[in-house]
Structures are given as structure tokens and as C-alpha cells.
Amino acid sequence: MGMYDDGPRVVIWEMTRACALACKHCRAEAIPRRDTRELTTDEAFKLVDDVAAQGRCIFILTGGDPFMRPDLFEISAYAASRDLSVAVSPSGTGRVTKATLERLAASGCKSISLSIDGPDAQVHDAFRGVKGTFDRTVGAAALARDAGISLQVNTTIARHNHTRIKEMAALVEKMDAAVWTAFFLVPTGRAHRDDCLDAAGFEVAFADLFEVWKTSPFMVKTTEAPHFRRYVAQHLPDVPLEERPKNHEYYSVPAIGDGKGFVFISHTGDVCPSGFLEIACGNVRQDNVLEIYRKDPTFQRLRDVSRTNGKCGFCDYGELCGGSRARAYGFSGDPFGPEPSCAYLSPAFLESLKKTKSAEGATA
């Protein structure tokens, strides 16, 4: 049995697609009003019960903007009562106030994630599509800390900001975040391929992230960039033991990713490997989310790196990384294809290319 075959460690439920922002990259292609097909409060409680049967895991309430649902606090409280570690990922709007954050904390929410996509208002607000979002989000971070909620800052890394990673890291430290998660853009929703970094761009960004990770007081994580683990494995041996981050062992564990330790439930109940890989493998209105995660053939294959195609199937960092299945899907339509933004070619893959060319030459 694989490390994550028993069940997900992270469950994300897209409570709604309603949101007041108009972000250029929006995975959900958010809309101004709530969809009548959203899961009801009672259906949400059933989802919580099904997730809780796996045991303690992180249960993230996202959107759209979860603050657009008036039952957010009720659902958060119920999930906390079932011993789930509740986190909420709101949009940077006027709905995030001292009162709503205090109410969220009282409901049992332990963590909040806020998005900062540039080191200043000019870059961030242009990306988010609404002026004033940067200042509002920075203010919300302070309010969250005052309410006793742990802060995670999420940053979408793409062509608009990839050269300013160290500047953004300084801002994250100033915001007193516990975690900084770098979301490397995937071409889905409103995001386009041209906005994504190429393999060389990823390596440059990884180098900056690596330097930030070595010295920052906050934890650095990546989303849809599991090959940062490969980068760490290649470069950490050059760092003296006494200079390595206390949490360096985190990067020696296989990455959680699309369908691997991770499951996403859409606002209408579809169960997908992730929000960036929206291949519906069932629906919580008819099916048990854990049964889908454990038994669905797509989920099972996503957790088996030996069943990926191209260079990822040969890679000596395959178990540690596995590649972004969502990005492979976004670029080629094949979720099991090679990671298009990885510069590394393993010796086994290069040998296979040599054999293929040799065979082609013999039959020419």
C-alpha cells in the first residue's frame, strides 16, 4: 500500500463559487451570486461526517468566497466538533472583518489563508482585479492574528511576479504568517498557458524559494510544484547541517498532490483529485468521498508514479515528487503525462531516449 492510499490528509470543499473579486487566474471562474445547486447545510454535515471517518485531517473551506455562505460558522463548528482541523480560505473583501474573524475563531477554525500575489498594491490589485484588495488583505492578516487564528499566506507564482519572490517573502514575514504557500499557476479556469512559467523559469523561482526557506521564520510550502522537493533533494546536501531549516525533513516526505493525500469537493458535490484537476470521479450526494478516494481507478493511478508517462515515469525522484498531474492535464489533456515545467531529465529517461533513437536508426 502506498503512503497515501488509506485516505487524504487534506480535504478541500469549495463551499460556493460566489465571490466579489474578478481575479485573472481564478481556478473557479467565480461568479457574483451563489449557485442554487450548492450543497445544503445538511449535505455539508454529511460530508463532514464522511471525512471525519478517515480520522483527523485538515478540512479546508474555500470558494469562491466562503464568507458568501451564511452557514460558514455553523459548518466550521460542526467540523471542529468532529475533530477535523478546520481552515478557511476567504477572499480579500470587506466581508473579512474583526467581528467575522472573531466569530470564525469561536467556531473552532484554527487557520486562515489569505492571498497576496505581489509585494505591493500595484502588482496584487492588478492581478486580483479590484483596487484596494492588497491593503484590505494585509489588514485582514492583522485581524486574524488578533483573533488567535494562525495565518497562512498564499501566493500565485506566475510571469507577473516570479522575479519578486524574495520581496514577497519579506512581506510575508512582516505579516507574521506561520506558513507561506507558493501556488505555481496551472492553466485552468481563467488562467492561461502563457501566464505559466516554463521549466527554466521554475528553476529560477525554486532557487529563490530555496534561499527564502533556509532563513525564514515561517514554513515554506508549494502547491502544484512537487518538483521543488526534487530541487531541495539536489541542493540541501550542500547546506551545512547547522544551517538547515528545522523543518527540512518535511521535504524528504513524498509530496501531497492531485489525488495523492488530497481530495477536492466542488460546490455541487463533485469529487475531484484537486481543484486544479477537476475530473469528476463521483459526487458526495450519491457516493462516499473516502470510498471514491480509495477505490476510484483515476485516484488510484494518480497515486502510482510508475503509471505516469514520459520522463516522470522514469524519474529517480518520482516517489518524492510525481509531477503536477494538474499541469500535465492543463498542457496536454493527459493527467498522467510528463510534468511540462520540470527541467530535470533522469539518467534512466536519457538512456531510454538513447535506446529509442538507436532502434529507430536500425529500422530506418
Side-chain angles (χ1 to χ4, degrees), residues 2 4 33 38 69 94 98 116 149 206 221 226 261 270 282 299 362:
Y4 299 117
R33 295 179 180 85
E38 290 173 5
R69 283 191 60 142
K98 181 176 186 292
I116 291 287
I149 301 175
F206 284 170
K221 296 183 178 181
D270 285 338
F299 271 86

Side-chain angles (χ1 to χ4, degrees), residues 348-359:
F349 179 65
L350 293 173
E351 183 64 26
S352 75
L353 290 179
K354 187 187 299 183
K355 289 180 180 178
T356 300
K357 288 181 180 179
S358 177

Side-chain angles (χ1 to χ4, degrees), residues 9-32:
R9 307 304 190 263
V10 179
V11 177
I12 292 191
W13 173 36
E14 174 192 71
M15 302 184 78
T16 180
R17 284 199 169 176
C19 182
L21 301 184
C23 305
K24 291 182 178 180
H25 73 294
C26 185
R27 168 205 60 78
E29 297 183 276
I31 53 179

